[in-house]
Amino acid sequence: MKNIMSKNILRLRKEKGYTQKRLADLMQVSAQAISKWETGQSYPDIELLPRLTDVLETNIDTLLGHIPGDNKKTIYSEVYKDDDFYWGLQPNELCYDVLKLYPPNGHVKLLEVGCGEGKDALFFARNGYDVTAFDIAHSAIDKVYRLADRYRVFIKAFRADIKEYRLEDDFDIIYSSRSLHHMRPDFRKEIITDYQVHTKPNGINALNVYVKKPFIGPPPEEDQFAYLWSTGEIFSLYADWELKCIDEVIYDCSSSGIPHKHVIDILVAQNTIRKKGD
Ligand SMILES: C[S@@+](CC[C@H](N)C(=O)[O-])C[C@H]1O[C@@H](n2cnc3c(N)ncnc32)[C@H](O)[C@@H]1O
């Protein structure tokens, strides 16, 4: 928890455009104290929390990485409550790329970001990966657990907001399909760096993201918290990694019952960076 709180203080301070010194002045503490909070070496005193949340224009739940009640809904929160699977049960093609490039030989830890109802998480769990998955929607996580029960596999699923959640464990594989448009553009570098730092040596990140194109209209489901990526943007964030697969495809979709098209950039990259001394 300390790690999440420290990362949130850092993120929210940067979001406000404050230096550590500026935040220290506003909080009437030393810049060293701020540095310790942000590196997880200490917590702010409990009596400082109301002031800290005021200064950072946030609340204690957000600071602690907790999603209160049903505050955070997505446009899918209601449809996920149905017994039917809104996205079907067919795994995304990217799952097969992962299976080929990083088969589950031995204990392979995989994190899925924005897992929805869990069709891809299920695929990975059934193939022997150790799967952790998160999504912001309560109803999504309920559905993941139901699916895992039905197929008698274990998936560790929990609610978290992509914008606020920072990783604590390391994974062999970080996977996300059609969910990373919920990261605001100005935080993508920081969040993707967090995913990279928490990917084990030789581990992979397998991601696909919706891309904006002038010749493709907006999807029928209007989502005010969606920020499409630019062509190649996700690839450039992996410039230092070994790119195993990059592609851009246009595909037909009929979610919400209205036929439409999406453009998607697909990336599989491997963490082959050598650490100093290796
Ligand atoms: C297009 S769906 C894709 C779901 C799944 N990956 C799939 O391919 O079936 C996007 C998912 O992102 C989730 N989502 C939206 N905003 C989010 C956020 N801020 N943090 C985490 N998940 C979020 C939605 O609940 C939804 O399940």
Side-chain angles (χ1 to χ4, degrees):
M1 199 271 283
K2 195 186 273 184
N3 197 358
I4 291 178
M5 187 172 183
S6 60
K7 288 180 178 181
N8 279 333
I9 295 174
L10 173 72
R11 177 179 63 79
L12 291 162
R13 173 176 66 74
K14 289 196 169 166
E15 217 168 298
K16 301 284 302 166
Y18 294 157
T19 60
Q20 284 187 338
K21 166 86 174 65
R22 174 85 180 120
L23 180 59
D25 290 346
L26 291 167
M27 290 300 302
Q28 297 170 359
V29 297
S30 67
Q32 249 177 339
I34 305 289
S35 165
K36 283 186 176 173
W37 298 349
E38 290 183 353
T39 50
Q41 292 174 62
S42 68
Y43 285 118
D45 284 342
I46 207 154
E47 64 266 25
L48 287 177
L49 290 183
R51 187 183 185 94
L52 184 61
T53 52
D54 273 358
V55 169
L56 295 176
E57 288 187 63
T58 185
N59 55 58
I60 291 180
D61 277 322
T62 301
L63 212 54
L64 301 182
H66 171 68
I67 303 175
D70 219 12
N71 282 357
K72 302 224 172 174
K73 289 195 166 194
T74 71
I75 55 169
Y76 306 112
S77 296
E78 288 305 314
V79 289
Y80 286 170
K81 288 181 185 162
D82 292 347
D83 285 337
D84 292 343
F85 283 80
Y86 188 71
W87 302 112
L89 282 178
Q90 203 57 31
N92 189 281
E93 278 173 34
L94 187 56
C95 295
Y96 297 98
D97 294 332
V98 170
L99 196 60
K100 267 187 262 160
L101 284 164
Y102 207 117
N105 299 328
H107 181 205
V108 178
K109 280 179 70 183
L110 180 146
L111 173 73
E112 180 173 4
V113 175
C115 59
E117 300 157 296
K119 63 182 175 56
D120 295 350
L122 175 71
F123 171 88
F124 289 123
R126 293 186 82 193
N127 277 287
Y129 294 89
D130 172 1
V131 182
T132 303
F134 75 84
D135 194 283
I136 199 170
H138 216 308
S139 45
I141 300 307
D142 284 352
K143 211 85 167 269
V144 174
Y145 276 115
R146 269 162 45 203
L147 202 53
D149 273 356
R150 193 200 292 175
Y151 288 91
R152 297 177 189 280
V153 290
F154 180 73
I155 298 170
K156 179 184 170 198
F158 60 96
R159 281 180 83 202
D161 185 338
I162 233 170
K163 299 187 286 303
E164 287 155 14
Y165 184 69
R166 300 294 179 270
L167 309 190
E168 302 204 301
D169 296 333
D170 291 349
F171 292 89
D172 299 287
I173 301 170
I174 296 183
Y175 171 90
S176 184
S177 177
R178 307 178 305 137
S179 296
L180 298 188
H181 53 293
H182 297 292
M183 283 178 188
R184 265 183 36 197
D186 42 342
F187 288 99
R188 284 178 185 161
K189 191 170 172 28
E190 188 242 312
I191 300 173
I192 294 289
T193 301
D194 186 56
Y195 294 171
Q196 292 170 340
V197 166
H198 287 90
T199 304
K200 294 183 190 176
N202 293 318
I204 60 170
N205 286 185
L207 314 170
N208 63 39
V209 296
Y210 287 133
V211 166
K212 58 174 171 286
K213 290 286 191 185
F215 53 88
I216 300 281
E221 309 113 325
E222 219 178 286
D223 188 347
Q224 54 167 324
F225 298 112
Y227 314 90
L228 299 187
W229 291 63
S230 313
T231 281
E233 189 183 346
I234 187 75
F235 308 147
S236 68
L237 293 176
Y238 283 85
D240 293 339
W241 283 34
E242 191 173 327
L243 302 182
K244 293 293 194 186
C245 143
I246 53 170
D247 201 0
E248 182 167 279
V249 296
I250 303 178
Y251 75 95
D252 294 309
C253 181
S254 57
S255 64
S256 74
I258 304 169
H260 56 281
K261 288 186 190 296
H262 289 288
V263 182
I264 204 151
D265 273 7
I266 305 163
L267 161 121
V268 183
Q270 188 166 29
N271 179 11
T272 46
I273 296 175
R274 284 174 190 274
K275 293 210 173 105
K276 274 186 195 144
D278 284 356

